[in-house]
Amino acid sequence: MDSQSAIPSAGRANATSASTAGKRSFWTEIVRQKYLYLMSLPFVIWLFVFNYVPIWGWTMAFQNYKPAKSFIDQKWVGFDQFRTLFHDDQFYMVLRNTLAMSVMGLVAGFVFPIVFAVLLNEVKGVAFKRVAQTISYLPHFVSWVVVAGIVTNMLSLGGVVNHILVWLHIIDEPIQFMAKPHWFWGIVTGADIWKETGWNAIIYLAAITGIDKELYEAARVDGAGRFRQMWNVTLPGIRSTIMVLFIMSIGHLLSIGYEKQMLLGNNLVSDYSQVLDLYALNYGIKIAHFSYGTAISMFNSVISIILLFTANGLFKKFAKESIM
């Protein structure tokens, strides 16, 4: 009996000592990397101040908020703002536009940068590769105001696109592209591809450089050509990077901003250019309906969080990839 009772006691002692050792190693690691943590502290403070403190403003979604009154004097209305939101037909039109442009941007924003990075990796001329990289990066640094002006001029009646289409006899007379509501989603997606493809390809190019060169040599020995090497070596080698970025992009599916829609849109295409962020801006700022605008933004954030965790869980279960 004594020997049997000693076994659990020894197990508890070992567990306690292991826990103590784990805590000691944790704090030892903190002390050893104290300068790294100190360097990260300003960013953590910035993140807390600008991303977590503003969440307090979500309380406005449950109030009939009046700027002149203090927080205590505000009238609480519960979920009235959300009931109004879900009974507004315009909200569902805006949600449709947001989802359509988000999905189109998500697909195109992944396919084009990956293809561009893989093809650019196959270029052997170093000088040409550097020039191509530089040219492809530049549009990212151009303001959407400038990009919208360029796109609008190119698609105007006297723009270069209409001139080329008429010259090739594809159309008989110029088309008013910016006055076609059903074409607006494609125009926004195309402009976004041109602006961001080069920049988004950077991380894939960095991931490709980390692939073991011996894998390419083995593939060549087995008789694989350039295309087979890209398909069987390059793409599997950056699979983890693709999955992680795809999960994060799904989390931002509804948060596509409003700049490009506002700058490229006009009254003729307003039924297809309104998105959630622009909808919240118009109600929350322009007509000073702050509570309703906050409810729209809160809905956007909550759905984004749900999408992020859902996508992460599905990829973790089926693809064995996750971000947390």
Side-chain angles (χ1 to χ4, degrees):
M1 294 292 292
D2 293 338
S3 61
Q4 292 178 352
S5 62
I7 294 175
S9 299
R12 287 194 296 269
N14 291 335
T16 303
S17 61
S19 176
T20 304
K23 291 180 180 178
R24 189 182 303 115
S25 62
F26 173 76
W27 289 109
T28 302
E29 192 69 16
I30 292 289
V31 173
R32 191 175 69 84
Q33 299 189 17
K34 57 182 179 295
Y35 295 111
L36 181 61
Y37 286 105
L38 287 174
M39 291 174 60
S40 304
L41 187 60
F43 172 74
V44 174
I45 295 173
W46 175 89
L47 186 69
F48 179 77
V49 171
F50 291 99
N51 289 273
Y52 288 96
V53 172
I55 292 179
W56 174 259
W58 279 6
T59 56
M60 286 192 295
F62 305 97
Q63 302 170 343
N64 187 13
Y65 182 77
K66 302 296 182 183
K69 296 182 178 180
S70 65
F71 179 79
I72 299 175
D73 296 329
Q74 299 294 336
K75 180 181 178 182
W76 293 84
V77 295
F79 291 94
D80 286 356
Q81 305 296 347
F82 294 95
R83 294 190 186 96
T84 303
L85 178 65
F86 295 134
H87 285 85
D88 186 1
D89 292 337
Q90 188 177 3
F91 166 73
Y92 293 101
M93 180 191 70
V94 170
L95 185 61
R96 177 205 63 184
N97 298 339
T98 305
L99 288 173
M101 282 184 272
S102 295
V103 172
M104 291 172 66
L106 180 65
V107 174
F110 258 86
V111 173
F112 281 88
I114 293 171
V115 172
F116 178 73
V118 171
L119 293 179
L120 194 61
N121 181 65
E122 295 297 317
V123 176
K124 300 303 181 183
V126 177
F128 177 80
K129 181 184 291 188
R130 289 178 178 175
V131 171
Q133 283 180 301
T134 303
I135 293 174
S136 65
Y137 297 163
L138 289 178
H140 171 77
F141 301 98
V142 179
S143 169
W144 265 110
V145 177
V146 178
V147 173
I150 294 173
V151 172
T152 302
N153 286 329
M154 289 180 64
L155 297 178
S156 63
L157 289 176
V160 62
V161 174
N162 273 310
H163 279 301
I164 293 175
L165 293 177
V166 172
W167 180 68
L168 294 174
H169 302 289
I170 296 176
I171 59 176
D172 296 327
E173 57 183 16
I175 300 174
Q176 292 183 334
F177 289 97
M178 303 307 294
K180 301 288 186 180
H182 292 85
W183 292 8
F184 183 80
W185 297 345
I187 292 172
V188 170
T189 303
D192 201 32
I193 291 172
W194 174 77
K195 188 176 186 298
E196 302 295 343
T197 292
W199 180 258
N200 292 336
I202 293 177
I203 193 167
Y204 299 115
L205 287 169
I208 290 173
T209 58
I211 299 176
D212 191 351
K213 302 302 179 184
E214 294 182 357
L215 295 175
Y216 291 100
E217 295 176 3
R220 284 193 291 269
V221 170
D222 290 339
R226 298 282 289 275
F227 178 78
R228 298 302 302 179
Q229 291 178 42
M230 287 188 289
W231 186 258
N232 293 322
V233 179
T234 305
L235 289 176
I238 61 174
R239 177 176 176 272
S240 296
T241 303
I242 294 174
M243 291 296 182
V244 170
L245 292 177
F246 188 68
I247 293 170
M248 295 178 66
S249 297
I250 290 176
H252 293 88
L253 193 64
L254 297 182
S255 303
I256 60 174
Y258 61 88
E259 295 89 351
K260 47 185 176 284
Q261 289 83 8
M262 182 175 65
L263 294 169
L264 289 171
N266 54 67
N267 292 332
L268 296 175
V269 298
S270 59
D271 288 345
Y272 287 81
S273 65
Q274 292 282 333
V275 291
L276 281 173
D277 288 335
L278 187 57
Y279 187 51
L281 177 68
N282 289 335
Y283 273 93
I285 303 298
K286 287 189 176 181
I287 64 175
H289 197 169
F290 301 107
S291 296
Y292 191 65
T294 305
I296 299 170
S297 299
M298 186 175 175
F299 169 82
N300 194 344
S301 300
V302 170
I303 296 300
S304 297
I305 293 172
I306 293 173
L307 288 173
L308 176 62
F309 280 95
T310 302
N312 185 71
L314 291 175
F315 275 89
K316 187 175 182 178
K317 181 178 181 180
F318 297 106
K320 308 303 180 185
E321 298 286 348
S322 66
I323 61 174
M324 63 185 78

